[in-house]
Amino acid sequence: MSHPTLPAIEVPPWETGNVQPLLHEIGHALRELLNNNKETCIDLHALPMAPGEEARLVEALGKGEISVQLRALGKSRIDETKYPGVWLITHFNANEEVVGKFIEITRIPDLIKSQREDIAAGLLNLEDELHEE
Amino acid sequence: MKNDPSLLEVLRQQGVSRRGFLKFCAATASLMALPPGMAPVIAKALEQAHRPSVIWLSFQECTGCTESLTRSHAPTIEGLIFDAISLDYHHTLQAASGSAAEEARMAAMKANKGEYLLVVDGSIPTADPGYSTIAGISNLEMLREVAADAAAIIAVGTCAAFGGLPHAKPNPTGAVAVSDIITDKPIINVSGCPPIPVVITGVLAHFLTFGTLPKLDHLGRPLAFYGNNIHDRCYRRPFYERGQFAESFDDEGAKKGWCLYKLGCKGPVTYNACATTKWNNGTSFPIESGHGCLGCSEPNFWDLGGFYNALSEPSVNTGNAAAFGLVAGAAVGAASGIMARKEKDNTSHAHQKVTVNDLKRGESQ
Amino acid sequence: MNIEAVLLWIRGPGLGLALGIFLFGMAIKLLEIFLLGRKKNLAAVRSSGVAAGFRTILSRSLPPDGNILRRPRFTFIFGYAFHIGLFVVMFFLAPHIEVSHALLGLSWPALPTPVVDVFTIISIIAMMALLWHRLTSPLLKYLTTPQDYLVWALTFAPLLSGYMAYHHLLLPYTWLLSIHIGSVELLLILFPFTKLTHAFTLFIARWYTGMMAGQKGVQS
């Protein structure tokens, strides 16, 4: 069945309008970090985002001075944004698929610090090496 | 079992560092739709968690659910959660066969009495037990036996959750869902044909972490994954709002990505995570690929009135009922009309005209 | 019994039942009217009156002498607003056209949904205004029977539930769609047995009136 077609209507790209409020939330969290030393973590996957909105958020946050690449269970990228104290963390699995995306408002993300258990295991390995020589 | 290594030890044996474990916990929290603040709680719980024994029973099913779960090409977070459980019986995946397999099931049931998880995929035939048996045991009997001492049951796939394809009209095998048979155990329905893999692993992760089942909706599905309507989360929603619909799969509208409502999309009545989680390593989901949602995570989705018929259309042929009503009404109406006409004629025949003389007689009296 | 099963029944057997009862009732009603016949006209006719009948259907739908002030203003304005709105919503919303396409094989272009939306709101407001008028005007109150409230509710329920379903208000869509289609089915079932039949008989009555008037008089 054919119909006379209706005049086309331009649909603007879908927007959730979540980018701007999120930037305000980050600003608020940054003030908390400065005044009360309170850290915040935001799960970006928990928020509905339209295609392109996440990219615009990342663009708005920009690139800062530090970029860290973690290799544990696949790669992870930990980047400080152009606003010191705001970190963008992206976890990939071994297939290079994103499994988690977070914004952390902290002086340094815990994940960067060497972990107690890993230091202990590393020390054992080092002692083994020294023993063998 | 007390001597089993904890999940943390399992991960360590696989060369996963503490950092990796923390990352795993953060991703798991995200996967389960928990606030990121829960990651340390998950870490703490998983450090102590022991590998739970899982018995997986496959009844009237197509193995698509198992395929969905094992389709990962390399170790993934989901894969690790799967590694963290002790899958003691799964007749498609296990190496043992025949009586050895059944013995493994009995041993696991005995050793983990009241603590093991039962995963079921496929529906259960009730018309004749011969429709589906395993090692000569009917599905119904095996389900009752294994469910009796299970801590909880996960019904994976729409067949186990709601009956699925075998339950579709005319349902020759008398297929029913797990919840139609087992009523005294916590049952969690992970529906979908097949379900999204992360949903299965998300539920397992939740059970590993908290030892409880996540929050469920009225159909027993985890709200974290089935709380959202496909239509509400659909990127083509603006076209629906504006009334721009594809009329066929190859017209201008379809090429421009207009709404697929008229082509039978069941998104408005479907609750699942497809629009946000997506399929095939996050590539797309059916609507994004140009096909309407079939509503596969909903009960009776095979009988919703045709995959390519709009939701507002009748789900069955109403022609017979309408024709019957019309014919019966015409018959009664004709009879009643003829009777009324007869009465009218009789009345007009019985009618006596008043003459001038009649009136004069009245006056003189 | 969950809501999904309810919706399945309402979209299938329930709809068949409602359509059957509707057609059954309307066939009785209309055949009764037509079979009763009219009084024989013994005078020579000016014309067949067929065209005059159709003219009257149209002319009675327009304000007399182009002046709406000559009719009760409130009833006229809101009555028309409601009926026009209902007509647009019923026949020009895309999902409704799909129903016609499935049942009769007939379809026509739909109006953009926001346009239909506006007509829905107009209808809802007009219907509430008419109810308020009925409740407050002493004359109308005197004339009103319980059936008038029933047919008001039967007509209002599909409009409101449809609007709510479209905008996903208050309840999940599955619920609202069930309520919406269910309320339409209730309307269909009671339609032939209440004043709602005026949607059909109105035109028959007007046509007869026009035809009779057209037959009278002398050919000029």
Side-chain angles (χ1 to χ4, degrees):
Chain A
M1 186 124 206
S2 70
H3 291 304
T5 42
L6 285 169
I9 311 169
E10 274 308 306
V11 176
W14 182 49
E15 293 227 0
T16 59
N18 273 343
V19 174
Q20 215 54 26
L22 199 55
L23 288 173
H24 281 287
E25 192 184 331
I26 292 167
H28 183 77
L30 214 45
R31 217 167 295 126
E32 281 285 300
L33 180 68
L34 199 59
N35 298 335
N36 307 323
N37 234 2
K38 193 171 164 282
E39 296 176 345
T40 310
C41 183
I42 299 165
D43 182 356
L44 282 182
H45 280 186
L47 298 162
M49 288 268 189
E53 277 189 329
E54 197 176 282
R56 270 199 287 138
L57 177 75
V58 171
E59 202 183 327
L61 291 173
K63 278 235 181 278
E65 291 169 341
I66 298 179
S67 274
V68 177
Q69 196 187 64
L70 185 73
R71 284 179 307 276
L73 278 180
K75 283 177 188 164
S76 291
R77 293 197 55 85
I78 305 170
D79 296 311
E80 198 179 24
T81 67
K82 71 182 176 193
Y83 307 107
V86 181
W87 298 76
L88 185 65
I89 302 176
T90 312
H91 295 308
F92 300 87
N93 64 14
N95 285 344
E96 307 259 310
E97 299 155 14
V98 176
V99 293
K101 203 161 204 173
F102 303 89
I103 290 175
E104 272 194 44
I105 292 94
T106 175
R107 284 172 189 277
I108 184 157
D110 275 338
L111 217 47
I112 294 178
K113 294 177 195 161
S114 297
Q115 305 293 315
R116 202 177 184 288
E117 292 83 347
D118 294 338
I119 297 169
L123 180 62
L124 277 178
N125 286 345
L126 181 63
E127 280 171 350
D128 275 357
E129 289 281 323
L130 292 173
H131 218 74
E132 274 171 26
E133 273 173 17
Chain B
M1 282 184 273
K2 302 287 168 288
N3 297 332
D4 255 10
S6 76
L7 177 54
L8 186 65
E9 285 162 339
V10 172
L11 293 177
R12 271 217 167 274
Q13 282 163 14
Q14 295 180 350
V16 176
S17 67
R18 178 79 191 172
R19 272 202 192 98
F21 178 65
L22 291 176
K23 170 176 164 177
F24 167 82
C25 292
T28 303
S30 185
L31 177 73
M32 291 192 286
L34 293 170
M38 287 301 284
V41 178
I42 294 170
K44 200 155 184 198
L46 290 186
E47 275 169 23
Q48 287 145 15
H50 284 272
R51 300 171 71 199
S53 167
V54 172
I55 294 176
W56 185 306
L57 300 178
S58 299
F59 297 142
Q60 292 192 129
E61 48 85 45
C62 67
T63 317
C65 295
T66 302
E67 283 286 333
S68 170
L69 190 57
T70 53
R71 219 50 344 211
S72 312
H73 300 287
T76 59
I77 300 283
E78 296 100 277
L80 282 170
I81 294 174
F82 213 46
D83 288 343
I85 61 170
S86 168
L87 190 56
D88 291 330
Y89 180 85
H90 185 306
H91 68 212
T92 309
L93 299 179
Q94 74 195 134
S97 64
S99 52
E102 295 309 307
E103 269 164 33
R105 178 170 65 85
M106 300 308 284
M109 281 167 62
K110 214 171 148 197
N112 305 291
K113 198 174 170 179
E115 287 172 1
Y116 60 85
L117 267 179
L118 169 59
V119 178
V120 179
D121 67 336
S123 62
I124 302 100
T126 55
D128 184 329
Y131 278 122
S132 173
T133 61
I134 298 161
I137 307 166
S138 79
N139 289 171
L140 188 64
E141 197 187 322
M142 190 181 273
L143 175 64
R144 286 208 176 114
E145 186 191 350
V146 182
D149 290 323
I153 303 171
I154 304 179
V156 167
T158 303
C159 293
F162 307 127
L165 174 62
H167 180 74
K169 276 177 212 159
N171 191 2
T173 63
V176 296
V178 172
S179 55
D180 291 324
I181 290 165
I182 307 297
T183 48
D184 58 347
K185 292 279 171 187
I187 298 176
I188 178 161
N189 286 330
V190 180
S191 66
C193 192
I196 300 174
V198 297
V199 178
I200 306 176
T201 45
V203 170
L204 285 173
H206 195 285
F207 187 79
L208 283 171
T209 306
F210 303 105
T212 58
L213 298 180
K215 240 180 124 191
L216 306 177
D217 72 0
H218 72 290
L219 292 172
R221 302 176 296 191
L223 266 175
F225 301 101
Y226 297 90
N228 281 321
N229 189 276
I230 296 287
H231 185 58
D232 282 346
R233 293 289 161 126
C234 180
Y235 75 104
R236 295 196 188 206
R237 179 73 182 267
F239 294 105
Y240 172 85
E241 306 280 351
R242 311 233 172 165
Q244 288 183 309
F245 301 98
E247 304 276 344
S248 77
F249 285 109
D250 56 358
D251 70 354
E252 270 309 295
K255 282 171 196 157
K256 284 177 181 158
W258 288 0
C259 177
L260 299 164
Y261 182 92
K262 285 191 179 182
L263 293 172
C265 182
K266 305 292 184 294
V269 293
T270 307
Y271 291 80
N272 205 339
C274 301
T276 39
T277 306
K278 304 196 175 176
W279 284 89
N280 295 326
N281 302 336
T283 307
S284 70
F285 71 110
I287 295 171
E288 204 171 338
S289 309
H291 192 290
C293 168
L294 302 180
C296 79
S297 57
E298 299 298 312
N300 297 313
F301 82 98
W302 288 93
D303 296 324
L304 282 178
F307 289 159
Y308 301 101
N309 290 345
L311 195 56
S312 62
E313 289 178 34
S315 60
V316 297
N317 186 5
T318 54
N320 284 345
F324 182 78
L326 192 62
V327 171
V332 175
S336 151
I338 287 164
M339 263 156 66
R341 188 159 200 159
K342 214 173 224 167
E343 198 185 330
K344 197 177 97 173
D345 289 347
N346 288 343
T347 316
S348 78
H349 283 309
H351 180 79
Q352 290 182 345
K353 290 208 170 84
V354 179
T355 62
V356 178
N357 288 338
D358 290 338
L359 291 173
K360 276 186 179 161
R361 226 186 0 243
E363 251 169 47
S364 64
Q365 271 171 8
Chain C
M1 196 78 168
N2 48 47
I3 189 63
E4 285 73 18
V6 171
L7 179 62
L8 195 63
W9 189 84
I10 282 179
R11 285 179 60 226
L15 185 67
L17 194 68
L19 277 174
I21 293 174
F22 170 75
L23 289 171
F24 173 77
M26 282 319 291
I28 294 179
K29 260 276 142 56
L30 294 178
L31 274 173
E32 274 182 350
I33 293 172
F34 291 130
L35 286 176
L36 199 57
R38 306 296 297 186
K39 209 173 180 180
K40 207 169 184 183
N41 188 3
L42 297 171
V45 294
R46 179 162 62 112
S47 70
S48 76
V50 172
F54 286 112
R55 264 202 305 281
T56 305
I57 291 180
L58 182 72
S59 67
R60 290 279 164 104
S61 305
L62 300 171
D65 306 330
N67 186 355
I68 62 159
L69 299 180
R70 293 179 61 179
R71 293 232 184 132
R73 227 180 302 177
F74 194 92
T75 313
F76 189 84
I77 295 172
F78 285 103
Y80 262 82
F82 148 61
H83 278 98
I84 292 170
L86 191 64
F87 179 81
V88 170
V89 175
M90 269 172 70
F91 293 107
F92 290 101
L93 183 71
H96 295 170
I97 299 171
E98 286 305 299
V99 179
S100 151
H101 188 61
L103 291 178
L104 306 167
L106 296 175
S107 72
W108 50 90
L111 279 175
T113 328
V115 177
V116 178
D117 216 28
V118 170
F119 280 96
T120 316
I121 294 166
I122 290 173
S123 282
I124 288 175
I125 291 172
M127 277 201 83
M128 291 202 288
L130 288 167
L131 181 68
W132 173 79
H133 189 48
R134 193 181 274 285
L135 288 169
T136 50
S137 152
L139 176 66
L140 273 177
K141 221 174 168 179
Y142 178 73
L143 292 170
T144 298
T145 62
Q147 203 202 95
D148 290 304
Y149 294 116
L150 175 71
V151 298
W152 183 91
L154 284 175
T155 317
F156 192 70
L159 259 180
L160 185 68
S161 59
Y163 182 80
M164 285 170 68
Y166 180 75
H167 291 277
H168 289 230
L169 300 175
L170 281 177
L171 292 169
Y173 185 80
T174 315
W175 276 87
L176 289 170
L177 191 63
S178 305
I179 294 171
H180 179 61
I181 302 177
S183 66
V184 173
E185 284 166 12
L186 203 61
L187 177 79
L188 280 174
I189 289 168
L190 292 171
F191 192 97
F193 312 107
T194 55
K195 290 178 176 181
L196 291 166
T197 45
H198 77 269
F200 289 84
T201 54
L202 159 91
F203 297 105
I204 302 170
R206 279 184 187 170
W207 188 81
Y208 269 133
T209 312
M211 184 200 70
M212 285 189 297
Q215 288 180 344
K216 282 176 185 162
V218 180
Q219 193 127 34
S220 51

